[in-house]
Amino acid sequence: MCGIVAGVTERNIVPILLEGLKRLEYRGYDSAGVAVVDDSGLNRCRATGKVASLVDKVRQQQLQGRVGIAHTRWATHGAPSEKNAHPHTSSNQIAVVHNGIIENYLDIRQQLQKAGYEFSSDTDSEAVAHLIHQAFLHNGGDLRLAVQSAVSQLNGAFALAVFAVDCPDRIIATRHGSPMVVGLGIGEYFVASDSFALLPVTRRFVYLQEDDTVEITGDGWQIYDAQQQPVERECVENEQSADLIGKGRYKHFMQKEMFEQPEVVAQTLQGRIHHGMLQTQAFAPEFLKALAKVQQIDIIACGTSYHAGLVIKSHLERAGIRTNVEYASEYLYREVAVMPKTLFVSISQSGETADTLAALEKAKKLDYFDYLAVCNVPDSALVRASSHVLLTRAGREIGVASTKAFVTQLVALHILCLFIQQAQDKTINPALVQAFERLPSFCERMLALDERIAEVAKSLRDKSACLFLGRGEGFAIAAEGALKLKELSYIQAQAYPSGELKHGPLALVDDSMPVIALITHDHLAEKMMSNLQEVQARGGKIILFADSRVDKRALNAQTQLIDLGELEEMTASIAAVIPLQLFAYHVALLKGTDVDQPRNLAKSVTVE
Ligand code: G6P
C-alpha cells in the first residue's frame, strides 16, 4: 500500500528516494512520484505503473536536489493515474506526500475551493497540500506550525511529509494512525513509512509516536509531541539486512516463500519446543504468569491472519479457553463486552495493518487482562504497542498473498496454546508436542506434490467460480485456500463448512461447478464424505485433497484426487494448507495473472 520516503541530504537525494521506493514496491501500489526543492523552486516527476517507469522519467527530466519527498500510491480516492499520483502541490509552493485517508476531505475541499484553490486531482491528499499552504500564508511562513494547524483540521488516518519552497532546507513529517519513522544518517536525515526503505542509508531509527511531528534539516532533527512541545524519543538500531531479497532459483517470490516453509517452521519452533519439551525459558516469566491466569481469549486480525485465528480456536477451546475470533474491521465499530481474565491477541504478518492497530488501540481502553501480538515484524507498530509478543519468524514475506507467514502463525499459535496448558497445569500429551518437531518434514512432503497439483490445476483454467469445503479446522484451511485462489487467479472462490452446503450453496452445484474439498484423517472425515456425495449426486466435479487413510470408495471416477499421504492429527491442518497454496499458485500461472502483486491488492493495508 502507499509508501513514503523523504529526506534532507548533502548529496543528490533523488537516487536515495528512488531506491527507497523500489524497496517499498512489495507492498503493492499503482503509481509513484518524487518532488525535490532547491533554489530554483519545486520540481516534480510522477508516473503510473512500476517504479521503473518513474526512474526513466526522472532520468529524462534530470531531476536533482538535496531535499525531497517521494511516494508509492495505492489508489483509494481517484483512479490510478498520473494526476492522482503524489506528491501533490499547492501554488507551486508546498509539496506533500500522504499515506492514509482523510475522511472529511470533501468538506475541506469545498471550503478551499471557496477560498480560491483549484484542484487538479480527485484525491483526498491534494486537499492537505492546499490546507497547509493556506496555513503557511496565515502564520507568516512557519512550515511546522502550518502543518500542525492543517493537521488539526483533518479526520482520518495519515502520515505526511511536506516541504515548502520558501524554506527549502527542511522537511516536516507527522503521523496520526499511520506509521512514520525518522532515519538518522551522518549529516543527513530521513523519514519513511517503513524503515526497510531507508536501510541502505541508515540503521538508526526513531519511531514517531501518535501525533508527533518531526522537523528535519541538514543540521539535525527535532520531534514535537501532540502538544507541540519538543520531546525526546528512543533511538533503535535495526539489525535487518539491507539486501533486497532476490527470488533465487524461483519464478516468483510466492513460490520461493512456499518452498521456504519447512525451514521457517523449524525456525518458529527453535528454542520453544525441543525434544518433545516446551522450553519455558523462551518466554519472559511475567508472560508465563499471565498465561497461567487466562480464562478467555479475543483474537483480532484481518485476511489470512484471521484464518490463522479460526484454526487455533478449536485447539484453545479444547484446552478450556473460550475463544472469540473476529475481523479487526468488525471489532472496531461494535460494543464489546470483555469477560474477566480475557487476553487480547492480535495476529498480523506486517504488524502495521490499520484495522488491527486500531482494534488494539480500542482494546487498550477496555478491561482486558493483557495484550499479546503474534507478529512477523519485530519492530512493527503492533509489536511496539502490545505488552507481549510472540514472533512468527517467517522472515520477510514479499508476495502479497501470504503463505509462509500463515504457516508460521499457525505454529506460533499452537505453541501459545501448549504454553497456556502447561502454565495452567493441564495435562499435555507429549506425543502432541513431538508432532511439531516432525512438521518441517511433513511440509516437505506437501511441497513434493507440486507436479501433481500443477496437473490438477488445469481443470480450473477456464472456470470463473468454485466452492471450497471443509469441516472444523479443515473449514478454516479451506477458507484460506479459497482466499489464495481468489487473490491470485481472480476466480470467485467461496469456502463453506460442508455441513452448510444444503442450506444454500448446493443451489450452485452442477456439472460446471468445481468443488474443492479438504479431508484429513479425523472424526469429521465420514461427515465430509457424505457431503461430497451430495455434490456428486448433482453432477459437481470434485477436486479432493485428502489423507490417504480416508475411505474414498464412494467417490466417482471424475473426482480428481491429491493424495496427501498420512498426516499427523495435531499438525494435519498446518501441512494441508500448503497443497492449497500450490494449487492457487498453479491456477494463477495458467491464467497469467501477476502472482506476486495481484491487481488491486496490497501487502500492508495501512488504511481502514
Ligand atoms: C493484506 C494482505 C494479506 C494479509 C492481510 C492482513 O490484505 O494482502 O495477505 O493477510 O493484509 O495483513 P497482516 O499483515 O495484518 O497479517
Side-chain angles (χ1 to χ4, degrees):
M1 202 155 254
C2 298
I4 290 175
V5 199
V8 178
T9 55
E10 286 180 340
R11 48 187 164 155
N12 180 15
I13 196 169
V14 174
I16 298 172
L17 297 180
L18 293 175
E19 172 64 18
L21 293 186
K22 276 191 208 146
R23 300 171 71 84
L24 296 177
E25 279 193 296
Y26 78 96
R27 301 163 66 91
Y29 68 103
D30 42 55
S31 55
V34 55
V36 290
V37 58
D38 61 16
D39 296 339
S40 72
L42 184 165
N43 290 299
R44 170 172 70 159
C45 182
R46 298 178 294 173
T48 52
K50 302 282 176 193
V51 171
S53 317
L54 178 70
V55 172
D56 286 346
K57 276 182 105 174
V58 162
R59 201 171 292 133
Q60 282 160 26
Q61 245 176 270
Q62 298 185 343
L63 198 70
Q64 284 197 16
R66 294 184 310 103
V67 176
I69 59 180
H71 192 258
T72 46
R73 172 175 188 255
W74 185 85
T76 57
H77 298 63
S81 63
E82 189 172 324
K83 73 167 186 179
N84 289 333
H86 300 214
H88 288 288
T89 61
S90 180
S91 310
N92 233 13
Q93 168 67 231
I94 300 287
V96 173
V97 284
H98 164 225
N99 284 2
I101 287 179
I102 308 300
E103 286 166 358
N104 57 338
Y105 84 103
L106 283 174
D107 292 341
I108 295 173
R109 195 177 168 114
Q110 227 167 29
Q111 164 209 316
L112 288 164
Q113 277 167 334
K114 271 194 206 136
Y117 284 97
E118 282 179 19
F119 282 74
S120 56
S121 79
D122 311 315
T123 62
D124 52 341
S125 312
E126 189 183 357
V128 181
H130 294 313
L131 203 57
I132 294 173
H133 181 257
Q134 195 180 49
F136 190 67
L137 294 183
H138 284 170
N139 75 14
D142 185 319
L143 185 58
R144 181 171 63 80
L145 293 183
V147 170
Q148 283 172 338
S149 149
V151 155
S152 67
Q153 299 172 58
L154 305 178
N155 295 339
F158 47 83
L160 302 168
V162 185
F163 69 63
V165 172
D166 278 354
C167 39
D169 60 340
R170 67 198 57 217
I171 298 244
I172 308 294
T174 188
R175 60 155 288 188
H176 175 83
S178 192
M180 187 70 105
V181 64
V182 184
L184 310 177
I186 301 167
E188 48 187 27
Y189 303 94
F190 306 90
V191 287
S193 51
D194 180 341
S195 58
F196 188 64
L198 296 176
L199 285 180
V201 284
T202 185
R203 300 254 147 191
R204 294 193 305 138
F205 293 100
V206 179
Y207 289 90
L208 290 192
Q209 290 187 11
E210 192 68 342
D211 296 317
D212 278 355
T213 300
V214 64
E215 181 164 39
I216 58 174
T217 65
D219 296 328
W221 54 285
Q222 176 64 55
I223 297 176
Y224 299 84
D225 65 14
Q227 286 70 44
Q228 304 176 27
Q229 296 304 311
V231 66
E232 300 275 321
R233 301 279 184 228
E234 189 195 354
C235 174
V236 290
E237 292 277 334
N238 188 314
E239 282 159 19
Q240 277 185 67
S241 159
D243 296 342
L244 265 181
I245 296 159
K247 291 184 201 140
R249 63 194 169 92
Y250 297 97
K251 276 201 214 108
H252 298 98
F253 282 111
M254 181 193 175
Q255 189 189 26
K256 174 169 177 270
E257 287 157 3
M258 287 188 295
F259 278 83
E260 281 169 0
Q261 291 180 116
E263 189 187 326
V264 294
V265 164
Q267 268 164 31
T268 306
L269 292 167
Q270 206 173 41
R272 294 161 170 173
I273 290 183
H274 189 57
H275 290 327
M277 301 286 286
L278 296 173
Q279 306 294 301
T280 20
Q281 71 277 13
F283 295 111
E286 59 274 21
F287 181 48
L288 294 172
K289 263 188 225 153
L291 294 187
K293 295 182 191 147
V294 171
Q295 284 176 0
Q296 303 215 22
I297 292 187
D298 278 354
I299 296 181
I300 301 299
C302 303
T304 288
S305 300
Y306 169 79
H307 292 151
L310 284 188
V311 173
I312 208 63
K313 177 181 161 78
S314 55
H315 292 273
L316 286 165
E317 297 233 343
R318 197 180 299 147
I321 308 291
R322 183 94 183 89
T323 305
N324 164 50
V325 185
E326 193 170 355
Y327 288 118
S329 54
E330 287 296 306
Y331 177 86
L332 267 180
Y333 297 106
R334 70 169 179 89
E335 299 289 320
V336 177
V338 183
M339 296 298 123
K341 307 255 173 68
T342 302
L343 174 69
F344 181 90
V345 177
S346 52
I347 310 174
S348 173
Q349 185 286 125
S350 62
E352 56 173 284
T353 302
D355 285 330
T356 310
L357 283 171
L360 173 59
E361 285 317 310
K362 171 178 174 160
K364 281 170 142 180
K365 296 186 189 113
L366 300 173
D367 211 9
Y368 281 98
F369 163 67
D370 221 332
Y371 301 87
L372 168 70
V374 177
C375 189
N376 196 35
V377 181
D379 64 346
S380 62
L382 193 74
V383 167
R384 281 180 281 118
S386 303
S387 31
H388 304 289
V389 58
L390 180 52
L391 289 174
T392 51
R393 302 183 186 160
R396 189 167 279 270
E397 191 178 63
I398 305 284
V400 165
S402 185
T403 53
K404 63 174 181 171
F406 177 67
V407 162
T408 56
Q409 282 170 347
L410 293 180
V411 174
L413 288 165
H414 274 282
I415 290 172
L416 173 68
C417 187
L418 290 167
F419 271 93
I420 291 176
Q421 283 170 269
Q422 178 165 288
Q424 301 192 351
D425 297 326
K426 291 179 182 151
T427 323
I428 305 175
N429 179 351
L432 299 184
V433 182
Q434 281 155 9
F436 284 94
E437 292 182 273
R438 293 187 290 271
L439 182 57
S441 70
F442 277 91
C443 294
E444 266 159 28
R445 276 164 49 181
M446 296 302 103
L447 291 165
L449 297 168
D450 190 42
E451 231 174 89
R452 166 74 184 141
I453 292 171
E455 185 57 33
V456 175
K458 288 180 189 157
S459 55
L460 251 79
R461 184 177 12 210
D462 304 317
K463 299 290 180 186
S464 56
C466 64
L467 291 174
F468 275 71
L469 300 179
R471 265 184 184 253
E473 275 176 67
F475 163 64
I477 296 295
E480 175 58 13
L483 178 63
K484 288 288 86 86
L485 189 69
K486 227 178 285 187
E487 288 177 302
L488 294 172
S489 69
Y490 317 148
I491 291 174
Q492 162 54 358
Q494 185 80 30
Y496 276 97
S498 69
E500 274 294 297
L501 195 60
K502 51 195 165 299
H503 300 295
L506 204 52
L508 299 171
V509 173
D510 61 13
D511 61 2
S512 66
M513 174 62 81
V515 176
I516 296 143
L518 171 65
I519 313 187
T520 47
H521 179 59
D522 55 26
H523 63 293
L524 295 169
E526 277 181 12
K527 303 268 173 221
M528 272 296 295
M529 204 45 88
S530 306
N531 297 136
L532 290 190
Q533 286 179 62
E534 293 159 10
V535 169
Q536 229 169 235
R538 278 128 191 119
K541 301 268 165 45
I542 297 167
I543 297 175
L544 178 61
F545 294 77
D547 187 287
S548 52
R549 288 161 294 182
V550 170
D551 183 352
K552 305 173 199 75
R553 283 174 297 170
L555 294 175
N556 65 22
Q558 290 180 38
T559 301
Q560 296 189 78
L561 175 69
I562 291 132
D563 188 339
L564 304 181
E566 295 188 7
L567 299 176
E568 295 193 295
E569 193 185 338
M570 193 63 185
T571 56
S573 59
I574 310 182
V577 76
I578 296 176
L580 296 180
Q581 296 167 344
L582 289 168
F583 183 68
Y585 174 74
H586 285 292
V587 176
L589 286 189
L590 293 166
K591 291 248 177 197
T593 51
D594 187 340
V595 169
D596 284 332
Q597 288 178 9
R599 70 181 181 201
N600 306 340
L601 300 182
K603 183 77 188 152
S604 292
V605 180
T606 49
V607 294
E608 257 198 56

